[in-house]
Amino acid sequence: MTLSDSLKADCESCFGLCCVALPFAASADFAIDKNAGQPCPNLETDFRCGIHRDLRKRGFPGCTVYDCFGAGQKVSQVTFSGRDWRRAPETATQMFAVFPVVRQLHELLWYLTEALTLDPARELHDELRAALDETTRLSRGDADDLLVVDVPAHRQAVNKLLLRTSELVRAGTPRRKNRRGADLIGAKLKGADLRAADLRGAYLIGADLRGADLRLADLIGADLRGTELGGADLTGSIFLTQPQLNAAKGDGATKLSPTLTRPAHWSVPDRPRRATR
């Protein structure tokens, strides 16, 4: 298994950690309230979701957009050596606390792995590899070590490298728009030229980006909940993650980089009807 494979969720090898460790509140994303450490009532004894195929219909669209970047199987099979919290209840509290730590480290591993594929940033590859190795080392620590990792400090150090990477990748595109952290909720950006734009941390909730050109745009941390991406070109956009895509609304005409998967709930454009005589 390659590192990139290990950063994709393998629910078959996980003890349903996202369904237990994380809290959620009754909202448009979840039909009920659930406290951290409390198993979701839909979680079955084999750690499968009892309503997986009908999550959206049953009021749990938030579950369909979540992705752990492979942290679930890492904690289940590596950190806790395959001991599940049901058969070994003494592990539960620690396991549930460790899971969000590893999830954050795995998200950083995703960004660093992508950064090392970007040729314009090759002058930073040695530093990026060192950061990747250190993040990997931290993620493989035992439970006690993981609980004392200063994740915000480590994230800050990695982010400095990712910022430099982004600048190098986007440098060759003229008229780059800087909308970093911008409030673009509900913005009408249909067909917009956003090539190599800095959209880091931008609020694009419900924005209309249909047909927009987002090639080489930096989308790290951008909030794409309900963002309309039908027909948009996202090939080569940098630091775009699967959870962001899962939260957006695209279609069969949305262009994606090969490392990302078209969400199952995205619509497929209607085929042109044949003319009748």
Side-chain angles (χ1 to χ4, degrees), residues 179-194:
R179 306 309 301 272
R180 184 176 181 181
D183 182 353
L184 297 171
I185 297 174
K188 306 300 182 183
L189 296 168
K190 185 177 181 180
D193 182 357
L194 293 169

Side-chain angles (χ1 to χ4, degrees), residues 33-208:
D33 291 317
K34 189 190 81 64
N35 296 323
Q38 173 189 349
C40 174
N42 299 311
L43 184 66
E44 299 185 334
T45 56
D46 61 356
F47 302 113
R48 294 174 182 268
C49 175
I51 61 169
H52 179 70
R53 294 183 178 181
D54 299 312
L55 282 166
R56 288 182 168 270
K57 294 179 182 179
R58 300 283 289 272
F60 290 87
C63 296
T64 68
V65 305
Y66 180 79
D67 192 291
C68 73
F69 294 100
Q73 65 259 28
K74 170 74 77 62
V75 173
S76 299
Q77 303 302 329
V78 179
T79 314
F80 286 87
S81 304
R83 292 175 297 153
D84 73 67
W85 52 270
R86 280 188 171 134
R87 295 184 180 182
E90 70 278 5
T91 67
T93 299
Q94 195 174 47
M95 188 180 296
F96 301 156
V98 162
F99 173 63
V101 174
V102 177
R103 197 268 183 191
Q104 292 181 74
L105 293 174
H106 270 225
E107 182 179 3
L108 293 178
L109 287 174
W110 176 279
Y111 295 139
L112 289 165
T113 300
E114 178 180 344
L116 282 166
T117 69
L118 303 173
D119 191 59
R122 56 189 176 276
E123 67 186 63
L124 296 177
H125 281 192
D126 286 345
E127 292 178 74
L128 289 165
R129 286 192 190 94
L132 181 72
D133 290 344
E134 174 61 9
T135 308
T136 300
R137 184 191 68 79
L138 291 172
S139 74
R140 290 174 177 170
D142 62 25
D144 290 332
D145 290 337
L146 283 162
L147 289 176
V148 297
V149 172
D150 189 343
V151 176
H154 186 65
R155 180 181 286 274
Q156 184 176 19
V158 170
N159 190 51
K160 290 179 180 178
L161 267 178
L162 298 179
L163 277 167
R164 291 164 62 194
T165 299
S166 175
E167 286 297 325
L168 288 170
V169 171
R170 298 181 299 111
T173 304
R175 297 184 179 181
R176 297 176 295 159
K177 294 181 173 64
N178 183 357
R179 306 309 301 272
R180 184 176 181 181
D183 182 353
L184 297 171
I185 297 174
K188 306 300 182 183
L189 296 168
K190 185 177 181 180
D193 182 357
L194 293 169
R195 284 174 296 172
D198 185 350
L199 291 165
R200 296 171 67 93
Y203 296 94
L204 288 159
I205 303 168
D208 185 356

Side-chain angles (χ1 to χ4, degrees), residues 201-243:
Y203 296 94
L204 288 159
I205 303 168
D208 185 356
L209 285 168
R210 289 174 295 170
D213 188 345
L214 291 155
R215 289 174 293 171
L216 295 182
D218 185 344
L219 290 165
I220 195 168
D223 194 334
L224 300 181
R225 285 178 291 169
T227 306
E228 296 283 354
L229 294 175
D233 191 347
L234 291 151
T235 53
S237 58
I238 57 177
F239 306 134
L240 175 64
T241 66
Q242 194 63 47

